[in-house]
């Protein structure tokens, strides 16, 4: 479970976060939020949904590669994974998100 969240401030007071695995690789990225509070709410949503296998949607990109989307209970996407070359790698990414998503470690680099 040694993953962490990294919260970044973008231009114009907008925020974005990533969930990182213990090896430092980005597991998933959030949408852009208009406030720090909204970004923290997004992190809390990932924390509460990452352990629910039904919240992961397995997708295929237009280039034929694989990724997953983590959705909240209301169906809204709360994070998108990186692109994987194989389905097996995508499944490993989901396992990593499940394990790391519960992390309370939020590194505010904003």
């Amino acid at each position: 479970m040694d993953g962490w969240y990294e919260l970044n401030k973008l231009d114009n007071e907008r925020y974005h976060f990533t969930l990182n695995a213990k090896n430092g690789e980005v597991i998933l990225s959030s949408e852009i939020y208009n406030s720090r509070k909204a970004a923290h709410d997004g992190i809390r949503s990932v924390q509460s949904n990452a352990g629910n296998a039904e919240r992961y949607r397995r997708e295929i990109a237009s280039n034929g590669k694989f990724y997953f989307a983590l959705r909240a209970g209301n169906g809204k996407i709360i994070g998108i994974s990186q692109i994987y070359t194989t389905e097996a790698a995508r499944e490993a990414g989901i396992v990593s998100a499940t394990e790391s998503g519960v992390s309370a470690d939020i590194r505010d680099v904003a």
Side-chain angles (χ1 to χ4, degrees):
M1 177 188 88
D2 298 314
W4 73 91
Y5 292 90
E6 189 169 288
L7 178 63
N8 292 285
K9 181 178 179 182
L10 307 174
D11 60 340
N12 301 324
E13 298 295 320
R14 295 178 305 156
Y15 296 84
H16 171 267
F17 69 83
T18 58
L19 172 61
N20 300 279
K22 62 184 173 184
N23 66 3
E25 287 191 35
V26 172
I27 302 169
L28 65 84
S29 297
S30 76
E31 65 178 299
I32 304 232
Y33 295 93
N34 289 322
S35 71
R36 183 183 305 269
K37 181 192 177 310
H40 276 278
D41 290 345
I43 290 170
R44 280 191 290 281
S45 184
V46 173
Q47 290 167 328
S48 66
N49 287 285
N52 186 338
E54 295 176 4
R55 300 283 193 248
Y56 292 94
R57 297 266 315 256
R58 288 150 177 88
E59 306 284 353
I60 299 176
S62 60
N63 64 1
K65 296 189 179 184
F66 307 93
Y67 71 99
F68 65 86
L70 177 62
R71 295 180 179 267
N74 63 5
K76 183 178 179 191
I77 294 174
I78 50 178
I80 300 285
S81 75
Q82 63 177 298
I83 298 293
Y84 298 98
T85 57
T86 67
E87 289 180 82
R90 176 181 60 196
E91 292 306 311
I94 291 172
V95 169
S96 185
T98 300
E99 293 171 353
S100 297
V102 297
S103 176
D105 184 358
I106 302 171
R107 301 178 187 181
D108 193 338
V109 295

